[in-house]
Amino acid sequence: MSQVTLAGVELQLDENGNLIDRSQWNREVAAELAKEEGIDALTEEHWKVLDFIAKDYAEKEAVPGMRRMNKVGGIPTKDLYRLFPGGPIKKAARIGGFPKPVSCV
Amino acid sequence: MSEEALKKVSIVVSKGSLDGVYPGLIMANGARMEGIEASIFFTFFGLHAIVKKKMNNLKVATVGNPALCVPDAMGMAMPTVLGAVPGMSAFATYMMKQEMEKLDIPPVGEFIEMISDAGGKIYACKATVDMFKLKDKDFCPQMDRVLTVGEFYELSAGAQIIFT
């Protein structure tokens, strides 16, 4: 566990660097976390992914896997890898303020 | 951690049963999701996983599989002789596919497409392609190239090779 200040908010992070308390999360925090993941600016396309994760998480209490992103979220695999290079779901989950995904697929 | 993070894996899929193919697919897809470069080399009956008319009809091997249990995976051991009963393989396959669907694990064809879209490379073993007398048109469109073993090793430079 560690503590950092991003976008003026003091955040508690777990051992993976993911937010412990999502109530601390906001869009400015997301933008700062995105920079840490090598994404300079969050576009509308990124937000479509982050919004879907938020919606699905509220329903299922789990970060959606790739297939759910495709079939339910309507976000193709190729787009996810283009938007969040080098580990799409892991990165999107972290930026969105969610825990590290636990699914293998 | 002082160990260097894994950067590249080359996975060999050599079995043509459903349970023989999935571990390699899951590992390749999982590698891409972690930002690890991944390629799969399909050889011998493993090649069925990328042959259009075979890929979505793979079956669980019930003959010679002492791990099979009834009524579910952690149930009583099934006498191996029953594995040869007609329809047993189809039944075990049906059961396994249902469980995988619940976990959002895609069918083979869709899984190969997902791995390819994720930037994973799909290769076919030349010796097997010749032995099975296969043509380019027999393969799913995601098959990148037919490789000799030598080429496979060349492309695997710097990778961990995983045989399944």
Side-chain angles (χ1 to χ4, degrees), chain B residues 138-155:
Chain B
D138 296 320
F139 289 98
C140 62
Q142 289 79 21
M143 198 273 282
D144 291 291
R145 264 181 74 189
V146 177
L147 298 181
T148 64
V149 172
E151 289 169 324
F152 166 72
Y153 281 128
E154 242 172 69
L155 289 169

Side-chain angles (χ1 to χ4, degrees), chain A residues 1-6 9-25 29 33 94 97-98:
Chain A
M1 210 176 98
S2 62
Q3 211 163 29
V4 288
T5 306
L6 288 181
V9 189
E10 205 172 278
L11 304 166
Q12 265 84 45
L13 304 178
D14 66 15
E15 69 276 17
N16 301 307
N18 295 48
L19 278 193
I20 288 173
D21 178 6
R22 194 163 190 267
S23 70
Q24 296 184 308
W25 181 90
V29 168
L33 289 169
R94 180 164 186 266
F98 297 100

Side-chain angles (χ1 to χ4, degrees), chain A residues 55-73:
Chain A
K55 182 172 158 274
D56 207 53
Y57 195 90
E59 212 176 290
K60 300 266 173 189
E61 286 176 25
V63 174
M66 188 57 78
R67 193 171 185 224
R68 213 172 149 76
M69 292 275 206
N70 300 159
K71 301 266 171 198
V72 185

